[in-house]
Amino acid sequence: MEESSASGLDSSMQDDGPALVKDVNVLLETERCEGISSGSRDEDFTLQNPGTNSTILEDNTKSNLCIAESKKKTSGLFFSDGKSRIDYVLVYRKSSSQSEKREIFERNIRAEGLLMEKEASLTNSDMIFLKLHAPWDVLCRYAELMNIRMPFRRKIFFMQRRHRFLSRMEKHINKFRGWLPRKPMKFDSVTLPDLEENESFTAPFSRSRIHHFIIHNKETFFNNATRSRIIHHILQRVKYEEGKNKMGLNRLLNNNSYEAAFPLHEGNYHSKNSIRTHGAENHRHLLYECWAWWGVWYKYQPLELIRRYFGEKIGLYFAWLGWYTGMLFPAALVGLCVFLYGVFTLDDCQVSKEICQSTEIIMCPICDQYCPYLRLSDSCIYAKVTHFFDNGATVFFAVFMAVWATVFLEFWKRRRAVLAYDWDLIDWEEEEDEVRPQFEAKYSKKERMNPISGKPEPYQAFTEKYSRLLVSASGIFFMILVVIAAVFGIVIYRVITVSTFAAFGWALIRNNSQVATTGTAVCINFCVIMLLNVLYEKVALLLTNLEQPRTESEWENSFTFKMFLFQFVNLNSSTFYIAFFLGRFTGRPGAYLRLINRWKLEECHPSGCLIDLCMQMGIIMVLKQTWNNVMELGYPLIQNWWTRRRLKREHSHIAKSSFPQWERDYNLQPMNANGLFDEYLEMILQFGFTTIFVAAFPLAPLLALLNNIIEIRLDAYKFVTQWRRPLPSQAKDIGIWYGILEGIGILSVITNAFVIAVTSDFIPRLVYAYKYGPCAGQGRAGEGCMMGYVNASLSVFRVSDFETRSQPRTNGSELFEEAVKYCRYRDYREPPDSAEPYSYTLQFWHVLAARLAFIIVFEHMVFAIKTLIAYLIPDLPKDLRDRMRREKYLIQETMYEAELERLQKEKNEKRRKKERTHHKEWP
């Protein structure tokens, strides 16, 4: 029926042909079902003998089957016969100019054994949906070619014999667990039985050994994801034109022969009935209820179901995201404790006390002319806020986060190995990538033999390849210079604005000019970051295409590296400036360093530069994550809403429920062109923000945790409800992103060492406590040893030594009742009356040496700990290694036993035949 309808429709299709054929088929089926129902009613009234009951039951069964078949037809998941499931859908326009290529392609599809059925769109007669179905023999043939692993025996696990003491301890632990809630974060496998994992050994499928595999139902033996993957594999190797490389669905999509290609979702994602009382209608509905619905935000993700529906590659992304989110819990908890430690020890902080009580210390103006003299006590609030982040626990937290990053990556390798085993990916090897059409078109005249496939393929000369790489590297360097130029512009803005805000008419702004400058600069910087991200994506595409990578995987890796590098530099450049350059190269009063000999460089706040770094990280992190979440969900929601509104306006006579599944899926948004790239990039950049400057902002892991809890459900909702079903594909790991994560982990150790040593006041306070404070030479350092630290960290400047362009417009008499003669500034310099005025003091050199020593010791110590942890944690858990060995042994034993059983059966059959022949010889 499928072939006849396909050939008939393929030869000549009128605008109303497919709809007419479908209507006729449905009408005939309806009449047949009605006839059976009426016949059964007549027999029920006329026949009163005992044989009637069986007849009635048979007819009722036939009637129920008809109803089930009609439901299948109207669901939009089957061909018009109600039996052949739709495994893949291609969409094209009849008016397309590529009809000849498409006809050849479809003829070759039919030659491969796939069944086809065409149907016109209900809303656009020019749009044709080509539905594909893979019969059992095609699935078996290609499953064997693709080495798809299928179940053949139930798993049997043997528990190792435990020591008596361990058994007793386990009994007590289980008794204690009985008092606790029954795992509220896990789903009830009784209520949701589809979430149970498949506990069967698997082996590569083989038609010659098909009797070894567990086949209860041929329709469900290959799940929908596997069926779609097999059909996509076929479509990628079908020719559409005579020629060596004129094949593949991707090329036809690129030249607009087809508008779209996608597997179908399994029906609606919502239902009027509760899943707990009526069960799930399909896997999509089950995914929505137990994963994408916001009410289950605290539940574990059903990874087995995600993998079964979307494939291993997407399942691995959500497994990594869930693992990362789970590992953020201890980091967020420790970071929150560090912050609370700063809050609770604020009253005991000697430094903040001295700053708040220093009403007699007059600070020099922080900008030219317009900034007034200030009392040190005016920065009391900023000193207290700084102590929340820069306290005695900061160094511990920096070491903890460096170790945490290593533990996270090492345990992820173990988790990935377990998933690879459970998902049958241990022995999976990625297929050799096809040559990109662009590469083939560019270098079709030069060929060489492929060492893997042994076939001739286009070849890129060595000199041309590296000349293109050189041009691409130059482009990357130029774009990094653009980022630096943008940061330079932000710096000039900060320098100019601080003077403007200091002369502002509003007292609140005037008195907090530096904070206002920092806040507005961060917001402007965020806008610049988002604008440059759009430019960087286009530049990365241009440079990657300029390189002409040979395969799709090479193109993807090159594009990934460029996009990460651009966005990482764009996002963190201003943060690096504030952390390591702000206030470090300003000079001193009377001899300021200036930009273009005009603008005085910005100074740190009297309470330090750490408050600026905290504001930068907090604002950027919150704004960027909020923006990403809004755009991720908002864009597809608005697009799908607009599509539904347009269809309702133009085709109001068609009920929404009458749209078949393929048309509803086509009206959804396609998955991003870059696949999971945007999802990974967002999380990797967040990981960088969480680890690189975490010593300055301990609340970063907490913000990341809250965002990721939302991110998981947001991504789930988007995949299940707003996007077309992506093609299920396999992957063993997260690819190039793991190497990037390791690089960020190494960079975080270096940056946190510099943040503690250079940005914070940890080292100056430590040097003062042991060398210059009241406890000098006693070998101890407490809050009592910090008395006099603020006065020792400030140098004296004579006001008469100001440059003319830096001289304040007021002499301070309106605030201090007399003209200011001396003011203080943050530095370690000699007073103006000394033999060498304004030269560095010995304390400055002690602090500098201590900072360098701390950086070296901290880095070596943390790297040693990271290396030791990575060495001690094996990549494969011991129980997994044992399970893999046992499975290999059992597979060999099972295959051997099954072969013996088959031989025994054949032997018995031959014996029976001989016995029958022997008995026939006797009369």
Side-chain angles (χ1 to χ4, degrees), residues 89 323 448 488 687 691 769 809 874:
V89 175
W323 184 258
R448 72 171 182 180
F488 186 75
F687 178 81
T691 55
R809 294 195 171 188

PDB file of all heavy atoms in Angstrom, residues 89 323 448 488 687 691 769 809 874:
ATOM      1  N   VAL A  89      10.895  12.739   8.204  1.00  0.00           N
ATOM      2  CA  VAL A  89      10.080  13.603   7.344  1.00  0.00           C
ATOM      3  C   VAL A  89      11.003  14.551   6.576  1.00  0.00           C
ATOM      4  O   VAL A  89      11.894  15.176   7.167  1.00  0.00           O
ATOM      5  CB  VAL A  89       9.061  14.418   8.169  1.00  0.00           C
ATOM      6  CG1 VAL A  89       8.314  15.393   7.269  1.00  0.00           C
ATOM      7  CG2 VAL A  89       8.085  13.502   8.881  1.00  0.00           C
ATOM      8  N   TRP A 323      25.620  17.205  36.365  1.00  0.00           N
ATOM      9  CA  TRP A 323      26.782  16.934  37.216  1.00  0.00           C
ATOM     10  C   TRP A 323      27.439  18.231  37.673  1.00  0.00           C
ATOM     11  O   TRP A 323      27.802  18.376  38.846  1.00  0.00           O
ATOM     12  CB  TRP A 323      27.769  16.068  36.441  1.00  0.00           C
ATOM     13  CG  TRP A 323      28.963  15.654  37.245  1.00  0.00           C
ATOM     14  CD1 TRP A 323      30.215  16.182  37.202  1.00  0.00           C
ATOM     15  CD2 TRP A 323      29.014  14.622  38.230  1.00  0.00           C
ATOM     16  NE1 TRP A 323      31.034  15.551  38.083  1.00  0.00           N
ATOM     17  CE2 TRP A 323      30.321  14.582  38.740  1.00  0.00           C
ATOM     18  CE3 TRP A 323      28.069  13.729  38.730  1.00  0.00           C
ATOM     19  CZ2 TRP A 323      30.716  13.683  39.714  1.00  0.00           C
ATOM     20  CZ3 TRP A 323      28.463  12.840  39.708  1.00  0.00           C
ATOM     21  CH2 TRP A 323      29.764  12.819  40.192  1.00  0.00           C
ATOM     22  N   ARG A 448      44.296  13.095  -3.544  1.00  0.00           N
ATOM     23  CA  ARG A 448      45.257  12.120  -3.029  1.00  0.00           C
ATOM     24  C   ARG A 448      44.469  11.006  -2.340  1.00  0.00           C
ATOM     25  O   ARG A 448      43.283  11.160  -2.026  1.00  0.00           O
ATOM     26  CB  ARG A 448      46.259  12.756  -2.075  1.00  0.00           C
ATOM     27  CG  ARG A 448      45.684  13.129  -0.732  1.00  0.00           C
ATOM     28  CD  ARG A 448      46.796  13.533   0.218  1.00  0.00           C
ATOM     29  NE  ARG A 448      46.250  13.842   1.537  1.00  0.00           N
ATOM     30  CZ  ARG A 448      47.001  14.230   2.568  1.00  0.00           C
ATOM     31  NH1 ARG A 448      48.304  14.373   2.415  1.00  0.00           N
ATOM     32  NH2 ARG A 448      46.436  14.476   3.734  1.00  0.00           N
ATOM     33  N   PHE A 488      39.790  50.054  26.523  1.00  0.00           N
ATOM     34  CA  PHE A 488      40.425  51.366  26.614  1.00  0.00           C
ATOM     35  C   PHE A 488      39.378  52.473  26.594  1.00  0.00           C
ATOM     36  O   PHE A 488      39.476  53.467  27.328  1.00  0.00           O
ATOM     37  CB  PHE A 488      41.414  51.532  25.453  1.00  0.00           C
ATOM     38  CG  PHE A 488      42.224  52.793  25.516  1.00  0.00           C
ATOM     39  CD1 PHE A 488      43.271  52.924  26.415  1.00  0.00           C
ATOM     40  CD2 PHE A 488      41.937  53.856  24.677  1.00  0.00           C
ATOM     41  CE1 PHE A 488      44.023  54.082  26.469  1.00  0.00           C
ATOM     42  CE2 PHE A 488      42.680  55.022  24.715  1.00  0.00           C
ATOM     43  CZ  PHE A 488      43.719  55.139  25.623  1.00  0.00           C
ATOM     44  N   PHE A 687      31.467  28.814  33.989  1.00  0.00           N
ATOM     45  CA  PHE A 687      32.471  28.095  34.769  1.00  0.00           C
ATOM     46  C   PHE A 687      33.724  28.949  34.949  1.00  0.00           C
ATOM     47  O   PHE A 687      34.327  28.969  36.034  1.00  0.00           O
ATOM     48  CB  PHE A 687      32.815  26.775  34.074  1.00  0.00           C
ATOM     49  CG  PHE A 687      33.869  25.965  34.769  1.00  0.00           C
ATOM     50  CD1 PHE A 687      33.549  25.165  35.851  1.00  0.00           C
ATOM     51  CD2 PHE A 687      35.183  25.993  34.335  1.00  0.00           C
ATOM     52  CE1 PHE A 687      34.516  24.415  36.497  1.00  0.00           C
ATOM     53  CE2 PHE A 687      36.159  25.247  34.972  1.00  0.00           C
ATOM     54  CZ  PHE A 687      35.822  24.459  36.050  1.00  0.00           C
ATOM     55  N   THR A 691      35.254  30.355  38.620  1.00  0.00           N
ATOM     56  CA  THR A 691      36.539  29.902  39.153  1.00  0.00           C
ATOM     57  C   THR A 691      37.662  30.929  39.038  1.00  0.00           C
ATOM     58  O   THR A 691      38.511  30.996  39.925  1.00  0.00           O
ATOM     59  CB  THR A 691      36.973  28.618  38.417  1.00  0.00           C
ATOM     60  OG1 THR A 691      36.983  28.855  37.001  1.00  0.00           O
ATOM     61  CG2 THR A 691      36.030  27.478  38.719  1.00  0.00           C
ATOM     62  N   ALA A 769      51.384  42.847  60.198  1.00  0.00           N
ATOM     63  CA  ALA A 769      51.186  42.125  61.458  1.00  0.00           C
ATOM     64  C   ALA A 769      52.472  41.477  61.946  1.00  0.00           C
ATOM     65  O   ALA A 769      52.769  41.483  63.150  1.00  0.00           O
ATOM     66  CB  ALA A 769      50.088  41.078  61.280  1.00  0.00           C
ATOM     67  N   ARG A 809      39.657  72.863  43.210  1.00  0.00           N
ATOM     68  CA  ARG A 809      39.088  74.211  43.129  1.00  0.00           C
ATOM     69  C   ARG A 809      38.787  74.787  44.509  1.00  0.00           C
ATOM     70  O   ARG A 809      38.631  75.994  44.652  1.00  0.00           O
ATOM     71  CB  ARG A 809      37.810  74.185  42.289  1.00  0.00           C
ATOM     72  CG  ARG A 809      38.070  73.834  40.837  1.00  0.00           C
ATOM     73  CD  ARG A 809      36.875  74.172  39.965  1.00  0.00           C
ATOM     74  NE  ARG A 809      37.204  74.030  38.553  1.00  0.00           N
ATOM     75  CZ  ARG A 809      36.413  74.394  37.565  1.00  0.00           C
ATOM     76  NH1 ARG A 809      35.211  74.906  37.841  1.00  0.00           N
ATOM     77  NH2 ARG A 809      36.784  74.241  36.309  1.00  0.00           N
ATOM     78  N   PRO A 874      41.126   7.445  39.953  1.00  0.00           N
ATOM     79  CA  PRO A 874      41.184   6.727  38.668  1.00  0.00           C
ATOM     80  C   PRO A 874      40.048   7.162  37.746  1.00  0.00           C
ATOM     81  O   PRO A 874      38.980   7.560  38.203  1.00  0.00           O
ATOM     82  CB  PRO A 874      41.056   5.259  39.070  1.00  0.00           C
ATOM     83  CG  PRO A 874      40.342   5.288  40.379  1.00  0.00           C
ATOM     84  CD  PRO A 874      40.749   6.560  41.071  1.00  0.00           C
TER      85      PRO A 874
END
